[in-house]
Amino acid sequence: MTSILDSFFAVSATTEGITVRVAPNFLVEQSVPAQGRWFWSYHIRIENGGDEPVQLITRHWRITDGRGMINHVDGDGVVGEQPVLRPGESHDYVSGCPLPTPSGTMEGQYRFVREDGSTFLAEIPCFTLVAPATAR
């Protein structure tokens, strides 16, 4: 099954038993290059490969456009949820990101809390956002 996931998700990272997988997708129908707007969706799968339940509390994104401009985005949970992941469980969600350039990168961290109240950061691996040449 890992090979199927690896072929679907472009990148992944594992921190303290939490694996974060990312599959970005350029959305031509929501992009307007003539107006300086390119848009991507990204599918994230968060897997708990550890031996205790954890809850995703916050997110931090570092979004860099093709000019090197960096935007930090912080918030509670993911798409309005703060999922609890028991050992062996996963959580999937899809969100989106507009950029003023036809390329850029995203990376960040999720903050999780354990049952004992301790927290840790799980890495969201850096992934590239690149519009196809035809969309420029």
Side-chain angles (χ1 to χ4, degrees):
M1 179 151 172
T2 300
S3 62
I4 292 170
L5 288 176
D6 289 343
S7 66
F8 179 74
F9 292 98
V11 294
S12 66
T14 302
T15 311
E16 297 200 31
I18 300 299
T19 299
V20 178
R21 300 179 188 275
V22 185
N25 185 40
F26 180 68
L27 297 180
V28 67
E29 65 277 4
Q30 292 190 30
S31 299
V32 188
Q35 295 177 8
R37 178 182 164 88
W38 289 264
F39 197 88
W40 289 263
S41 67
Y42 51 91
H43 176 168
I44 302 237
R45 169 169 283 182
I46 304 163
E47 303 167 350
N48 184 355
D51 56 5
E52 62 183 328
V54 295
Q55 183 174 17
L56 192 158
I57 300 299
T58 63
R59 68 185 182 283
H60 170 77
W61 285 105
R62 176 185 162 116
I63 304 166
T64 307
D65 72 20
R67 296 185 194 102
M69 296 298 295
I70 298 170
N71 186 24
H72 293 274
V73 177
D74 294 283
D76 292 336
V78 290
V79 294
E81 298 180 285
Q82 292 181 316
V84 173
L85 298 173
R86 289 173 181 73
E89 290 184 342
S90 63
H91 179 77
D92 288 75
Y93 75 94
V94 175
S95 192
C97 178
L99 286 180
T101 59
S103 65
T105 62
M106 290 180 68
E107 62 189 313
Q109 299 91 30
Y110 295 123
R111 179 174 298 281
F112 284 89
V113 63
R114 298 179 186 96
E115 286 186 319
D116 68 7
S118 63
T119 65
F120 66 96
L121 295 176
E123 177 189 358
I124 304 168
C126 184
F127 57 98
T128 57
L129 304 172
V130 179
T134 57
R136 294 181 187 180

